Amino acid sequence: MTAKKSTIKDTFGDKVFLTVIYIFLILVILVILYPLIYIVSSSFSSPLAVSSGKVWLWPVHFSLEGYKAVFNNSQVIVGYANSLFYTFFGTLISVTLTVLFAYPLSRKSFFGRGPLMFFILFTMLFSGGLIPEYLIVKDLHMLDTRWAMLIPKAIAVWQVIIARTFFQTSIPDELVEASEMDGCSDLRFLMSIVIPLSKPIIAVLVLMYAVFQWNSYFDAMIYLKSESLFPLQVVLRNILIVNTTSSAGMDAGKMMELKQLADLMKYSLIVVASIPVLIIYPFVQRHFMKGVMIGSIKG
Amino acid sequence: MAKQQTLAISKRKTGLRKRAVRSFRKHWQFYLLIIPPVLYFIIFKYIPMFGSIIAFKDYSVVQGILGSPWAGFKYFKMFFDNPMAWSLIKNTMVLSLYHIAVSFPLPIILALALNEIRQGIFKRSVQMITYAPYFISTVVLVSMIIMLTSPRLGIFNHILEALGFHSINFMGEPGMFRSIYVWSDVWQNTGYSAVVYLAALAGIDPALYEAAKMDGASRFQKIIHVDLPGILPAMTIILILTVGNLMAVGFEKIYLLQNPLNLSASEVLATYVYKMGLLNANFSFATAIGLFNSVVNLILILFANVLAKRISGNSLW
């Protein structure tokens, strides 16, 4: 709004300044987009074009070889299914626990909310560290089970704060008092009034937890041993970073070809792994911003 | 006088108790609801905090946390007597300070620039594009870095060669590691971090801009005298949080970026804890290092908070 008004009588200096800003922002966009476009273009090129460095911006010798290789890889398919499982159930558990905690914390009539807030905020300042956290998961016999992916990181303090702030500001105390007069219990009020009124914040929580689950690899790396339980990110790490493709005992020409295909497959794999997030991104973008903003009102 | 005071205190106490009882009776369902999340925090946060006493014990899996014999400061001594310790602490600090120096100001600059341009498609596109890399997973980001900087296939080296330079093995140079870590983080998170500042900028009173315009302020002057003071509280809080995490560098990403060639720059406290503790099963030794790290972090955040309160009047609590 302020920008619109001031353009009328922008001085020469202001115009130069504004031009510099536009140039700066265009450069920022290019720097961010270029690697992404390069990866996608490479993934649609031929193995030879990728390994000989012919791809600069657009696909060269369009082919779907890389994607064929990805979908022929059983590890990737199992990882994909596992990640969907962890993301769905992990998000369900996380959102439920977060709402259960955040709603009572948002009510003034709830005695003890001050100490309870301190109780959770303190965990942001100090933690037991990696080893004691690992040992508790071990003692609970969760190692190498699906539970290890769903429970130990179930609640993020930040999300509790965001949800609490939302409940505080959008569910007025008068509404609670009125429903109490009518003999509505706290539980019923939560289920039939608060949750329907809080769809925006629940969307934010679902999205944040889901992206977190989909993208996490570290817990899986330390808690899981069986390959059949690995989420996609661990499979990706093994293929893309640790490089576990074996090429022993093959003739040189065949090996060369396989190596080229393996290189190409990495690009396709990156695209395939990011697709779920990329598809939902345009829809969730606004909600994410809202989440960050609510969180920043009262940190 | 004293009597009055004790009376007042006891009155307040009974008031408190009354309120507690009333709250329990009226809102017992609340207390039922919070049982599962409270149990979660106790089991997965507070018990491990208590469990970090194994740093002072000779922990053995058979005897458990309580049963293991005390070892005093043996493991802390062991760590600090090792020349490795100082290089780990140095690597952690240098990486963190470099990271803060770059990633603290850049989101502010981006937000200020975005705030200057008119509402419209361009502004929305910039926001959407700068925000997108935040959603890329660490594994994918690191794979992208490795592929784009690879000496044989990477586009970075193709560009260098096209310009007539020699290709560089970016991932194999210890000297390049910190820059790769910091600038890839800038690429991924600047747009996301700018959102907080954009929210703060949107909350500035328009009357201040009007007044500045009346006084004939240029756009740049408005940024300095209206925008920056307006987002100062947000800046302070984010700086405190960043300083509090000085020793808690992005472990997951560093671990993935590590290779034998860049280890001299990329081995930090957190990755060492992981290797000692979970790969070599030196639980007590690793916990001692981790505890040292957590305590330093806690002291830093408390210190930063006090300092910020003194200087700017803004603080976390």
Side-chain angles (χ1 to χ4, degrees), chain A residues 111 119 152 186-187 217 233 281, chain B residues 27 29 31 40 46 128 137:
Chain A
F111 183 80
F119 173 77
D186 288 323
L187 193 62
Y217 86 94
Q233 300 295 331
Y281 173 60
Chain B
H27 298 293
Q29 288 181 333
Y31 297 90
Y40 165 85
Y46 281 90
M128 187 150 168
S137 77

Side-chain angles (χ1 to χ4, degrees), chain A residues 1-7 9-10 14 17-18 21-22 24-26 28-29 31-36 38-39 50-53 55-56 97 100-101 103-104 107 109-112 116 118-120 122-123 125-138 140 142 151-155 157 180 185-188 190 208 211 215 217-218 221-222 233 236-237 240-241 259 263 266-267 270 273-274 277 281-282 284-285 288-289 292-293 296, chain B residues 16 19-20 23-24 26-31 33-34 36-38 40-49 51-52 54 59 61 65 109-110 113-118 122 125-140 142-144 146-148 152-155 158-159 162 187 192 195-196 198-199 206 209-210 213 217-220 222-223 251-253 255-256 270 273-274 277-278 283 286-287 291 294-295 298 301 316-317:
Chain A
M1 202 182 87
T2 50
K4 220 176 226 169
K5 264 185 200 161
S6 52
T7 43
K9 38 179 187 174
D10 265 354
D14 276 354
F17 186 61
L18 203 60
I21 285 178
Y22 272 101
F24 167 71
L25 289 175
I26 289 167
V28 168
I29 291 185
V31 167
I32 289 178
L33 279 184
Y34 183 67
L36 298 174
Y38 175 79
I39 298 263
V50 170
S51 55
S52 58
V55 181
W56 288 94
L97 288 175
L100 286 185
F101 209 177
Y103 178 65
R107 298 277 62 103
S109 52
F110 176 62
F111 183 80
L116 276 169
F118 180 79
F119 173 77
I120 62 167
F122 186 70
T123 63
L125 297 180
F126 188 76
S127 79
L130 179 67
I131 308 298
E133 278 171 20
Y134 172 84
L135 290 176
I136 190 85
V137 174
K138 183 167 164 278
L140 291 170
M142 282 188 182
I151 306 294
K153 292 271 161 66
I155 305 182
V157 176
E180 271 170 9
S185 74
D186 288 323
L187 193 62
R188 218 180 120 209
L190 176 65
M208 289 195 174
V211 171
N215 283 345
Y217 86 94
F218 186 68
M221 188 178 84
I222 61 176
Q233 300 295 331
L236 288 183
R237 172 177 173 262
L240 296 172
I241 299 173
K259 181 111 184 78
D263 285 333
K266 291 181 178 179
Y267 291 97
I270 285 183
S274 311
V277 180
Y281 173 60
V284 307
Q285 199 224 160
F288 254 82
M289 298 239 176
V292 177
M293 288 186 187
S296 63
Chain B
L16 214 60
R19 259 183 49 213
S23 179
F24 275 122
K26 207 166 150 195
H27 298 293
W28 58 273
Q29 288 181 333
F30 280 166
Y31 297 90
L33 291 180
I34 65 164
V38 166
Y40 165 85
F41 276 99
I42 291 173
I43 294 172
F44 292 101
K45 302 286 167 186
Y46 281 90
I47 291 180
M49 269 183 221
S52 55
I54 63 169
Y59 177 76
V61 180
I65 293 172
I109 295 172
L110 179 64
L114 271 171
N115 194 47
E116 284 302 303
I117 66 173
R118 207 177 306 169
F122 181 69
S125 324
V126 176
Q127 275 190 285
M128 187 150 168
I129 291 165
T130 53
Y131 208 54
Y134 175 77
F135 294 89
I136 293 173
S137 77
T138 314
V139 173
V140 167
V142 172
S143 318
M144 280 173 59
I146 292 174
M147 284 153 69
L148 296 176
R152 189 169 55 89
L153 286 175
I155 187 77
H158 289 196
I159 294 172
W187 181 81
Y192 176 78
V195 176
V196 175
L198 282 171
Y209 290 107
E210 293 296 319
K213 211 162 65 181
S218 71
R219 277 175 177 273
F220 185 69
K222 266 187 279 181
I223 289 181
F251 162 61
E252 301 196 352
K253 192 168 141 197
Y255 183 70
L256 290 176
V273 168
Y274 168 68
L278 295 186
F283 290 122
T287 307
L291 188 61
S294 302
V295 169
L298 184 61
I301 199 167
L316 285 179
W317 56 83

Side-chain angles (χ1 to χ4, degrees), chain A residues 241-254:
Chain A
I241 299 173
V242 189
N243 237 330
T244 48
T245 42
S246 70
S247 54
M250 265 179 265
D251 65 275
K254 181 96 177 142

Side-chain angles (χ1 to χ4, degrees), chain B residues 108-304:
Chain B
I108 299 173
I109 295 172
L110 179 64
L112 289 173
L114 271 171
N115 194 47
E116 284 302 303
I117 66 173
R118 207 177 306 169
Q119 213 49 263
I121 295 177
F122 181 69
K123 187 172 183 175
R124 255 179 289 139
S125 324
V126 176
Q127 275 190 285
M128 187 150 168
I129 291 165
T130 53
Y131 208 54
Y134 175 77
F135 294 89
I136 293 173
S137 77
T138 314
V139 173
V140 167
L141 178 75
V142 172
S143 318
M144 280 173 59
I145 297 171
I146 292 174
M147 284 153 69
L148 296 176
T149 63
S150 134
R152 189 169 55 89
L153 286 175
I155 187 77
F156 281 18
N157 277 315
H158 289 196
I159 294 172
L160 280 181
E161 278 163 15
L163 295 174
F165 294 100
H166 286 292
S167 67
I168 302 171
N169 182 8
F170 289 93
M171 293 302 290
E173 295 277 340
M176 303 293 287
F177 169 77
R178 290 186 186 116
S179 296
I180 293 174
Y181 172 82
V182 169
W183 290 99
S184 62
D185 195 75
V186 165
W187 181 81
Q188 185 171 34
N189 291 321
T190 303
Y192 176 78
S193 313
V195 176
V196 175
Y197 296 114
L198 282 171
L201 284 168
I204 293 177
D205 186 358
L208 289 174
Y209 290 107
E210 293 296 319
K213 211 162 65 181
M214 292 294 239
D215 293 341
S218 71
R219 277 175 177 273
F220 185 69
Q221 283 169 320
K222 266 187 279 181
I223 289 181
I224 300 293
H225 298 290
V226 181
D227 288 349
L228 276 179
I231 59 172
L232 193 65
M235 280 165 61
T236 319
I237 291 194
I238 286 176
L239 194 61
I240 298 172
L241 290 173
T242 321
V243 170
N245 281 322
L246 194 66
M247 301 278 276
V249 280
F251 162 61
E252 301 196 352
K253 192 168 141 197
I254 297 173
Y255 183 70
L256 290 176
L257 280 170
Q258 272 183 351
N259 61 46
L261 294 174
N262 66 19
L263 212 55
S264 64
S266 64
E267 190 78 299
V268 295
L269 285 168
T271 53
Y272 192 67
V273 168
Y274 168 68
K275 287 175 189 167
M276 281 298 124
L278 295 186
L279 301 184
N280 296 353
N282 282 330
F283 290 122
S284 287
F285 182 53
T287 307
I289 305 168
L291 188 61
F292 162 71
N293 203 341
S294 302
V295 169
V296 172
N297 271 337
L298 184 61
I299 293 171
L300 280 173
I301 199 167
L302 294 175
F303 181 71

